């Protein structure tokens, strides 16, 4: 805190923009100023106007602020709390707990404005970040210390997928998860908090929210606060961190609002001229170093589904993987509802994942793509009109789709099916055996919602005990795939029959 003589007075208030005049030395850029009763109104210095004036952006609502009111310079930038005491807690942009629990003790405070790791500190090797989720590990491998974009609308399993990754990260890799809600709805934050608590993943997790009803300055800085916490666990605790951001587009949107309020000339399509710099300042702090890694999964909203939008283009340039969730696959009961043909990863190369993994992933994509082309023919003419080779291909593709489904720990209480985490080796082994037609005579439903491929025989045996299959159906199974029950959401077979 600077001395009592470092007082200024409000010159102008225009929404969230506040001009302040000082008679002594000016506060530094990014300094926090306080005004109003008990310093309840907080503003951050963004520009020096002249030798005595500064222009600030408000981080709190400015109701009650008037010209001539005194302003106190704190002499410090915005700070975020770090320490083991922040685990299992929920914070706002100022580091205040918002979960109605006592204020944690024994914390240190660090500036949210920190430089990214230097090139010398960064790890130069690209390694895979195993999630324990078959479809992601096989077809869309994530990079340790990388950034993945998660594209999906409401109701397709985005939150469930994030919750499962948090569970696997905490339970099996001794890591820490940080959830950063940028422009989140209050309802979504409250629901997510209780979902995480019920799933038992809260003890090694931190949640931060810059809510939708808060000023743009608050939403613009919440991401930096989350990264400051993540850097503490990476550098001081030497633990791997999983950073989940929802939604990175709202960070850009908040920056656009701040830029407009500050009077900057808008750039292409109304975005701020400094968008690339602001996004890079956030994204480049997400890195892999010798002490640990911050791996980020970011929900990305694409305005009007226009992938040429400047916000989408700048975001894509930072991502190492794109996970696309499909509503159609969700409606068919294929969870996680990831579209394997739309999703991609930059590290899915022989030099990083290995030749066997790469070749298998390419063969799986090729099989699923050919099946997608045949779906229209099957819907119009039926499965029997295909050539024997195409029928075999359809059988392989449908068994692959079902094997790549997986019961989650996060949904045990709703489905009654015990969650499964599958290693990359087991997932690759299962896919390879399916492509070799080892399970050509096995009912498709026996591969649905299992973990390792070794579970197929047990599930098939249970299905036979529950519902015996007559000899006629058994012989038919040798010629073409057995349709999965309608209860499991298979609409393609309804057309085929």
């Amino acid at each position: 805190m600077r001395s009592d003589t470092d007082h200024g007075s409000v010159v102008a208030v225009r929404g969230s923009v506040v001009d302040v005049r000082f008679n002594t030395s000016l506060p530094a850029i990014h300094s926090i100023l306080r005004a109003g009763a008990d310093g309840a109104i907080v503003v951050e210095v963004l520009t020096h106007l002249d030798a005595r004036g500064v222009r600030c952006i408000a981080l709190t609502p400015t109701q009650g602020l008037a010209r001539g009111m005194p302003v106190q310079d704190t002499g410090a930038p915005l700070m975020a709390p770090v320490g083991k005491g922040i685990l299992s807690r929920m914070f706002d942009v100022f580091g205040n707990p918002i979960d109605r629990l006592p204020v944690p003790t024994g914390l240190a405070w660090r500036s949210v404005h920190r430089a990214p790791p230097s090139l010398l500190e960064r790890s130069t090797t690209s390694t895979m970040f195993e999630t324990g989720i078959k479809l992601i590990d096989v077809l869309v491998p994530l990079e340790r210390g990388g950034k993945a974009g998660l594209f999906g609308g409401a109701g397709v399993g985005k939150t469930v997928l994030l919750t499962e990754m948090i569970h696997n990260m905490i339970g099996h890799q001794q890591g820490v998860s940080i959830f950063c809600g940028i422009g989140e709805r209050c309802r979504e934050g409250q629901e997510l908090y209780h979902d995480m608590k019920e799933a038992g993943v809260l003890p090694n997790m931190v949640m931060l929210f810059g809510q939708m009803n808060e000023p743009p300055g608050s939403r613009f800085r919440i991401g930096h606060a989350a990264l400051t916490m993540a850097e503490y666990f990476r550098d001081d605790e030497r633990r791997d961190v999983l950073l989940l951001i929802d939604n990175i587009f709202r960070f850009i949107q908040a920056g656009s609002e701040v830029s407009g309020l500050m009077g900057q000339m808008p750039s292409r399509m109304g975005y701020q001229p400094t968008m690339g710099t602001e996004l890079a300042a956030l994204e480049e702090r997400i890195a892999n170093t010798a002490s640990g890694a911050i791996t980020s999964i970011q929900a990305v909203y694409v305005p009007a589904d226009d992938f040429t939008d400047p916000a989408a283009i700048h975001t894509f340039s930072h991502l190492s993987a794109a996970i696309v969730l499909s509503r159609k696959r969700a409606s068919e009961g294929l969870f996680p509802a990831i579209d394997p043909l739309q999703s991609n990863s930059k590290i899915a190369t022989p030099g990083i994942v290995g030749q066997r993994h790469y070749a298998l992933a390419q063969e799986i994509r090729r099989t699923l793509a050919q099946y997608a082309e045949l779906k229209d023919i099957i819907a119009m003419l039926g499965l029997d009109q295909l050539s024997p080779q195409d029928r075999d291909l359809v059988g392989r593709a449908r068994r692959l789709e079902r094997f790549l489904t997986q019961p989650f720990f996060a949904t045990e209480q709703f489905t009654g099916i015990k969650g499964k985490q599958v290693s990359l080796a087991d997932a690759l082994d299962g896919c390879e055996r399916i492509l070799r037609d080892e399970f050509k005579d096995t009912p498709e439903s026996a591969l649905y919602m299992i973990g390792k491929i070794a579970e197929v025989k047990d599930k098939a045996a249970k299905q036979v005990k529950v519902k015996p299959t007559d000899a006629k159906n058994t012989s038919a199974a040798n010629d073409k795939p057995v349709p999965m029950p309608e209860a499991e959401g298979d609409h393609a077979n309804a057309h085929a029959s």
Side-chain angles (χ1 to χ4, degrees):
M1 181 76 70
R2 297 175 72 184
S3 67
D4 292 338
T5 59
D6 294 316
H7 282 287
S9 59
V10 176
V11 177
V13 182
R14 294 183 298 278
S16 291
V17 175
V18 181
D19 288 354
V20 181
R21 187 169 185 81
F22 286 84
N23 294 322
T24 55
S25 59
L26 291 182
I29 298 293
H30 297 320
S31 291
I32 291 296
L33 312 181
R34 291 184 174 272
D38 300 323
I41 299 173
V42 183
V43 297
E44 180 182 331
V45 177
L46 289 189
T47 307
H48 286 181
L49 297 176
D50 52 41
R52 289 288 177 263
V54 294
R55 181 160 289 168
C56 313
I57 190 74
L59 304 183
T60 57
T62 55
Q63 284 90 343
L65 194 62
R67 292 176 65 183
M69 287 183 67
V71 175
Q72 174 68 45
D73 176 17
T74 64
L78 183 65
M79 310 289 274
V82 295
K84 294 182 179 179
I86 65 175
L87 290 172
S88 79
R89 302 301 300 273
M90 186 190 294
F91 298 96
D92 63 10
V93 72
F94 303 107
N96 301 320
I98 54 175
D99 49 11
R100 297 182 179 178
L101 295 175
V103 177
T105 57
L107 301 181
W109 292 80
R110 293 182 183 174
S111 168
V112 303
H113 304 283
R114 297 168 64 86
S118 67
L119 291 178
L120 292 175
E121 295 175 297
R122 292 173 183 260
S123 174
T124 56
T125 57
S126 290
T127 55
M128 183 178 158
F129 175 80
E130 253 188 79
T131 63
I133 299 170
K134 290 182 286 189
L135 203 157
I136 292 178
D137 288 344
V138 173
L139 295 178
V140 200
L142 304 186
E143 182 182 7
R144 182 174 177 266
K147 297 169 275 285
L150 182 61
F151 304 83
V156 292
K158 182 173 62 177
T159 302
V160 171
L161 191 60
L162 293 180
T163 309
E164 186 70 8
M165 286 186 180
I166 292 168
H167 176 278
N168 293 351
M169 174 76 174
I170 292 170
H172 303 277
Q173 299 190 30
Q174 290 76 48
V176 175
S177 294
I178 296 179
F179 184 92
C180 176
I182 305 178
E184 278 288 292
R185 299 172 184 85
C186 300
R187 170 185 56 80
E188 289 177 344
Q190 191 258 0
E191 288 176 358
L192 185 66
Y193 178 81
H194 287 290
D195 287 345
M196 298 298 176
K197 194 172 183 179
E198 290 175 11
V201 301
L202 208 55
N204 279 296
M205 186 176 179
V206 186
M207 303 177 77
L208 295 96
F209 288 97
Q211 295 173 163
M212 190 175 280
N213 62 317
E214 294 182 22
S218 175
R219 288 180 270 126
F220 190 52
R221 291 298 181 215
I222 191 69
H224 296 91
L227 268 164
T228 301
M229 294 181 179
E231 287 165 345
Y232 162 79
F233 287 110
R234 180 192 66 190
D235 300 333
D236 294 45
E237 298 281 337
R238 293 184 169 271
R239 299 169 73 177
D240 281 356
V241 181
L242 180 62
L243 175 64
L244 307 161
I245 301 177
D246 187 11
N247 189 302
I248 200 66
F249 173 77
R250 292 178 192 151
F251 168 77
I252 295 174
Q253 205 171 36
S256 180
E257 289 182 52
V258 170
S259 177
L261 288 166
M262 295 297 291
Q264 293 179 340
M265 183 71 71
S267 183
R268 184 177 165 223
M269 293 181 68
Y271 286 105
Q272 64 270 39
T274 54
M275 176 171 61
T277 305
E278 292 167 357
L279 187 62
L282 185 77
E283 297 279 10
E284 287 303 302
R285 291 171 66 181
I286 302 169
N288 184 5
T289 67
S291 57
I294 300 175
T295 304
S296 174
I297 299 172
Q298 308 169 9
V300 183
Y301 167 69
V302 181
D305 292 333
D306 178 15
F307 285 86
T308 64
D309 188 272
I313 291 171
H314 281 82
T315 305
F316 291 149
S317 66
H318 293 280
L319 299 178
S320 57
I323 302 171
V324 181
L325 296 178
S326 162
R327 194 171 301 280
K328 184 176 184 299
R329 288 179 67 84
S331 68
E332 293 174 358
L334 300 174
F335 293 104
I338 299 169
D339 189 329
L341 301 180
Q342 295 291 324
S343 305
N344 63 79
S345 171
K346 290 180 180 177
I347 70 162
T349 60
I352 298 174
V353 299
Q355 184 61 45
R356 174 174 176 256
H357 184 169
Y358 175 76
L360 269 174
Q362 292 297 99
E363 181 63 24
I364 292 167
R365 286 182 183 276
R366 190 159 40 246
T367 302
L368 295 177
Q370 290 172 335
Y371 173 46
E373 292 175 358
L374 291 170
K375 279 184 178 178
D376 289 340
I377 298 174
I378 296 171
M380 290 185 292
L381 303 177
L383 197 62
D384 293 331
Q385 299 303 312
L386 298 178
S387 66
Q389 293 85 356
D390 284 345
R391 281 206 299 272
D392 289 342
L393 183 139
V394 169
R396 284 193 292 272
R398 290 173 58 78
R399 283 169 174 80
L400 278 171
E401 282 187 336
R402 279 139 193 79
F403 176 65
L404 291 174
T405 61
Q406 190 168 337
F408 282 173
F409 294 96
T411 57
E412 275 184 18
Q413 54 188 325
F414 309 112
T415 62
I417 305 173
K418 185 173 176 57
K420 302 283 175 65
Q421 185 176 7
V422 183
S423 69
L424 175 62
D426 289 330
L428 290 175
D429 178 59
C431 293
E432 189 174 41
R433 291 173 66 182
I434 291 170
L435 289 170
R436 290 202 306 253
D437 284 338
E438 280 190 33
F439 301 95
K440 184 178 180 180
D441 300 332
T442 304
E444 293 170 9
S445 55
L447 286 95
Y448 180 73
M449 285 295 171
I450 62 170
K452 301 177 183 178
I453 197 70
E455 299 173 24
V456 169
K457 290 183 181 178
D458 292 338
K459 188 168 183 181
K462 288 179 182 177
Q463 288 177 344
V464 170
K465 287 179 183 177
V466 173
K467 188 177 179 181
T469 308
D470 58 22
K472 183 178 177 183
N473 285 342
T474 305
S475 62
N478 296 327
D479 296 327
K480 63 180 182 179
V482 176
M484 196 173 74
E486 276 292 319
E488 291 174 358
D490 188 9
H491 302 299
N493 270 313
H495 292 300
S497 60

